Amino acid sequence: MKARLALFLALTIPASVQAGTRWLMNDDFEDGDAVYFQGGFIDGECWASVYVPSPGDYPLNLEYVDMLVGGSTAMEFFDIQVFGMESTDMSSASSLGSSYLAITGSNDSWNRVYFDDDLEMYLPEVDSGNVAVSLCLSGFSGYPAIARDNGGMDHADRNWIYANAGAGYNWYQSNMFGLNGDWVMRLCVSGAGIAGNECDADTDTDTDMDTDTDSDTDMDTDTDSDTDTDSASPDSGQEALSLISITPDSMVLGEPVDVVIIGTGFYAGAEARIGGISLTGTELVNTETISGRAPSSLPEGSHDVEVVLDDQSDYLAAAFTVLPVESGEEGDTGCSCASTGLSGGAAWLSLLALVAVARRHPWEFPS
């Protein structure tokens, strides 16, 4: 029986890393870009990124992987495997090591996994060739899942999906299913031939302390020093309420699903509704995330999604669809090819990745 190892978001850097470090990455995601969490993976399906080191970096050691995994804030289990290969073809890959881990999906931070400390997965030194990292869904389907960037497919031969596309389970390049964008998953490597500590760099360079230096004359009892002239109410500092997405965005008639609503300005007292009916089991996860169960009484058709808080409200028109029973069976063939996009952002190794979520359709090759 495999041991289940909880994954912690580690935003600290190892105390000591021998020699230099370098990021191996295929995506070009930067803070402020759009990002898409890929929907539709089913139990046993996988994504993988192939990484191509620079010739002068060998021999090298594999330290950890950073990835944007979200679309849901649920904790789910994955099989993780590291491969070595001479080409970029996953069908020629040989395993260097594997383990089992739990990931809690997040829409506002990266997941980092140290191969040795988190997984006790002691990988061999790499002297030549390429490496790949794959994660496979274990015991669940859907989200959380990997993100892909919005900058187009920069490396078609390095983004892979393990799925059944009608000829049994095999590795396929993700663009063969009509997907665009590179998986947002990055590998940190170290080696004596690498100069500098690129993995340790924090690109969030702001140094403001967010302190006010002015003097107000407001009538409230707070001790702030800004220039507002509010009367009898402290500064709230709250973001305005807005909605971005709901995941998943459909259900079969009479079969309610758990949903995650993404937005901003969600605070205590916020009420989420679909078709004017409140979600059940609502949980305010954070100021950008509300989870709950879609109302079981919703009729067929499209319904508005709304969040209300005091005198504020925002809605997504016709954002959730109730499907007739006969169209609800999608089979076990997997993942999505079509997406809807909304701009978002994520500060490297820290904050806010606002996302659009791909719609779910079976895997099939584009005609």
Side-chain angles (χ1 to χ4, degrees), residues 25 28 55-56 61 70 81 98 117 170 181 184 186 195 223 237 277 306 333 365:
M25 66 179 74
D28 54 10
N61 293 292
Q81 192 160 9
S98 62
D117 293 341
N170 289 290
V184 186
R186 303 169 176 185
T223 57
I277 306 173
E306 181 183 26
T333 52
F365 293 111

Side-chain angles (χ1 to χ4, degrees), residues 98-148:
S98 62
S99 189
Y100 194 59
L101 75 159
I103 292 179
T104 299
S106 177
N107 297 322
D108 56 16
S109 60
W110 292 73
N111 280 278
R112 173 172 291 184
V113 186
Y114 290 96
F115 296 117
D116 51 0
D117 293 341
D118 291 333
L119 303 178
E120 296 184 358
M121 186 174 166
Y122 303 105
L123 300 170
E125 187 175 65
V126 177
D127 296 317
S128 64
N130 303 325
V131 292
V133 177
S134 77
L135 276 89
C136 304
L137 282 64
S138 181
F140 78 102
S141 298
Y143 300 101
I146 190 65
R148 51 191 171 88

Side-chain angles (χ1 to χ4, degrees), residues 42-46 161-172 177 332-335 362-365:
I42 66 170
D43 185 14
E45 292 184 340
C46 318
I161 291 171
Y162 184 76
N164 184 353
Y169 277 86
N170 289 290
W171 283 107
Y172 300 96
F177 301 106
D332 292 329
T333 52
C335 192
W363 289 118
E364 58 183 10
F365 293 111

Side-chain angles (χ1 to χ4, degrees), residues 236-242 263-267 287-288 309 312 352:
S236 68
Q238 293 186 352
E239 293 182 273
L241 188 149
S242 67
T264 62
F266 299 163
Y267 298 96
T287 58
E288 292 91 28
L309 175 62
Q312 297 185 77
L352 196 59

Side-chain angles (χ1 to χ4, degrees), residues 9 20 28 39 45 197 211 228 242 279 320:
L9 294 181
D28 54 10
E45 292 184 340
N197 280 314
T211 56
D228 64 353
S242 67
L279 272 61
F320 190 85

Side-chain angles (χ1 to χ4, degrees), residues 194-218:
I194 300 175
N197 280 314
E198 187 177 277
C199 298
D200 294 4
D202 183 352
T203 58
D204 181 7
T205 57
D206 69 284
T207 56
D208 62 278
M209 299 293 291
D210 297 325
T211 56
D212 298 323
T213 58
D214 43 83
S215 300
D216 66 353
T217 56
D218 58 341

Side-chain angles (χ1 to χ4, degrees), residues 154-167:
D154 297 314
H155 300 283
D157 61 339
R158 302 184 191 179
N159 297 272
W160 293 80
I161 291 171
Y162 184 76
N164 184 353

